[in-house]
Amino acid sequence: HLQLGQGMPCCSRQSDAYHRKEAIAKSLAPVGGVNAAHQLLREYYLLAGTNARVGINNMKFLVVDDFSTVRRIVKNMLASLGCHNVQQADDGRTALPMLKKGNFDFVIVDGNMAGMQGIDLVKHIRADEELKHLPILMITDVGKREQIIKGRQAGVNGFIEKPFTAAVLKEKLGKIYESLKR
């Protein structure tokens, strides 16, 4: 059983929206796969703008960082912003199979991880037809200009420098969300 915060919405309104989204995606799956169906739904909700019942608060996030403390902090910040559908991966190798079968809407990845670096995960995501549409926010260390340049080249949508607050996270997510609506 999934517990609160492990991939399921927290309240009945979010749960209803989540289940409607899943039902529509599954009904569209024969046309182009579940991930393609989720992309169509994302585009619909982005076009619908603020009138849509499902917005950034109901998106399914994957937080990828090799430090459990950072993953927990980001997950708690997302929860404080009303985003309760959050799963975690401890590195890029763990994240890739989760992304392929998890129907995620947004990826937050640390740029500097042991094993598969964040930049390498981004490259894998952008090279995969089923995943390349996913918005990606990369967590960087202060002053890592080179990491930001490489991230932009790889297709990262936005960057956030450590340490950061929930307000800064909200601002960065909002900017990416707004840019996707254009």
Side-chain angles (χ1 to χ4, degrees), residues 77-174:
M77 284 183 181
L78 287 168
S80 76
L81 300 174
C83 305
H84 298 280
N85 197 355
V86 180
Q87 291 187 11
Q88 304 173 43
D90 58 4
D91 64 20
R93 288 189 185 103
T94 306
L96 275 174
M98 290 176 71
L99 286 165
K100 288 183 185 253
K101 65 180 178 181
N103 302 315
F104 290 93
D105 300 305
F106 211 110
V107 179
I108 300 175
V109 60
D110 185 24
N112 188 25
M113 294 186 290
M116 183 187 286
Q117 292 287 317
I119 230 49
D120 296 324
L121 175 59
V122 171
K123 288 177 182 177
H124 280 288
I125 291 170
R126 294 300 182 232
D128 188 305
E129 283 299 314
E130 292 284 316
L131 303 175
K132 69 181 183 180
H133 65 276
L134 288 171
I136 302 170
L137 177 65
M138 182 172 278
I139 301 170
T140 63
D141 294 320
V142 174
K144 294 287 185 174
R145 200 94 179 106
E146 189 176 308
Q147 193 176 50
I148 292 172
I149 292 168
K150 287 181 180 179
R152 283 266 180 242
Q153 292 169 343
V156 173
N157 299 88
F159 298 87
I160 189 166
E161 288 186 344
K162 290 187 241 180
F164 55 89
T165 64
V168 173
L169 179 60
K170 179 181 180 181
E171 175 190 336
K172 298 292 184 177
L173 293 173

Side-chain angles (χ1 to χ4, degrees), residues 27-51:
S27 71
L28 293 172
V31 176
V34 174
N35 283 335
H38 276 272
Q39 174 59 16
L40 287 172
L41 285 171
R42 264 190 292 283
E43 289 172 11
Y44 164 76
Y45 291 128
L46 289 173
L47 289 172
T50 56
N51 294 328

